Amino acid sequence: MTKNLFIALEGIDGSGKSTQVRLLAEKLRDAGYKVHATFEPTNGMIGSLLRNILKGSVKADERTIAGLFLADRLDHILNEEYGLLKMLGEGYTVISDRYYFSSYAYHGTHMDMDWVIACNKMCADLLRPDVTIFIDVPPEVSMQRISAGRQSTELYETLDNLTNVRAKYLEAFDKLKDQEKIITIEGNQSIEAIAGDIWDQLSSSFK
Ligand code: TMP
């Protein structure tokens, strides 16, 4: 491997991203790599506020929410203690459960996606993922998984919304296909099969 990679995992709610981030991180650690597994919204101060908004305990306009996700992301990249640029500089392979494509897809359903992309340009200039992996799960399947696993659902977790979000992901991938490396993985299969497909796509970068 020539340099330590920054890998972003994306997908609609209930797509199994978090499990796949954990499995990939374990695999790379076992192979001797230093790995920093992380997520957005973060658990920093802005991320915590966002979690309260997602739970419905704090109300905010969609444009404000998009702005808060941007601020959370800038902190995620730039924080002097735990920021991604710092971790990459120290030789960690970084795997993030969500990054800016989440903003394009989730906020792009409520406002002009180009505005969201333009707002995130600084993030893309600071730190573009080496690869974005999209775990593609039918919204019906992800809604079943969400309902089976939890008592309450979050702000964006309805079938209609997740159907729109999936469509917006595809639209954003198409719009940015010349700037970004995107790999789509069939998500409607077992956890092990998804992990296998992800590894098939990435293993050549870790030789
Ligand atoms: P999670 O379920 O993966 O923890 O993500 C929390 C929610 O945050 C999920 O519904 C997607 C949403 N989200 C946005 O709306 N915009 C963003 O930029 C990010 C990173 C997440």
Side-chain angles (χ1 to χ4, degrees), residues 13 17-18 40-41 51 54 65 69 73 97-100 102-104 106-107 150 154 156-157:
D13 298 78
K17 287 173 293 82
S18 313
E40 294 186 2
R51 297 233 176 246
L54 292 168
I65 298 176
F69 271 106
R73 184 162 302 121
D97 182 345
R98 299 196 180 282
Y99 196 54
Y100 47 59
S102 285
S103 282
Y104 307 161
Y106 282 80
H107 311 306
R150 276 193 252 142
E154 288 187 343
Y156 297 127
E157 295 173 342

Side-chain angles (χ1 to χ4, degrees), residues 112-127:
D112 179 16
M113 188 192 291
D114 289 334
W115 182 83
V116 186
I117 293 174
C119 286
N120 274 275
K121 181 166 186 308
M122 189 184 282
C123 300
D125 289 346
L126 283 166
L127 182 58

